[in-house]
Amino acid sequence: MNTAVRDRVLKEAFGCQPRLVAYAYSLLRDHAAAEDVVQNAFLVVVEKYADFREGTSMLAWTRAIV
């Protein structure tokens, strides 16, 4: 995958951060832990961005990683 695609996927994924933290908080009931989980999820997103398939919901994909 080229860098333009990578940059677009990562930008869209990072745009989901507030909703991902809220989702993780709903599961963990600890804000610091939720932020840590989302940070770790973004490490996976950066590694696996090429696995993202066009037409898939970015929020659903990143929530599955969280």
Side-chain angles (χ1 to χ4, degrees), residues 21-36:
V21 171
Y23 173 66
Y25 179 80
S26 77
L27 299 173
L28 302 170
R29 296 294 177 202
D30 181 307
H31 190 73
E35 288 200 358
D36 288 346

Side-chain angles (χ1 to χ4, degrees), residues 14 16-17 19-45 62-66:
F14 292 139
C16 296
Q17 183 176 7
R19 290 176 288 175
L20 295 174
V21 171
Y23 173 66
Y25 179 80
S26 77
L27 299 173
L28 302 170
R29 296 294 177 202
D30 181 307
H31 190 73
E35 288 200 358
D36 288 346
V37 165
V38 172
Q39 262 189 333
N40 288 331
F42 281 135
L43 293 175
V44 174
V45 168
T62 53
R63 279 181 67 167
I65 294 169
V66 167

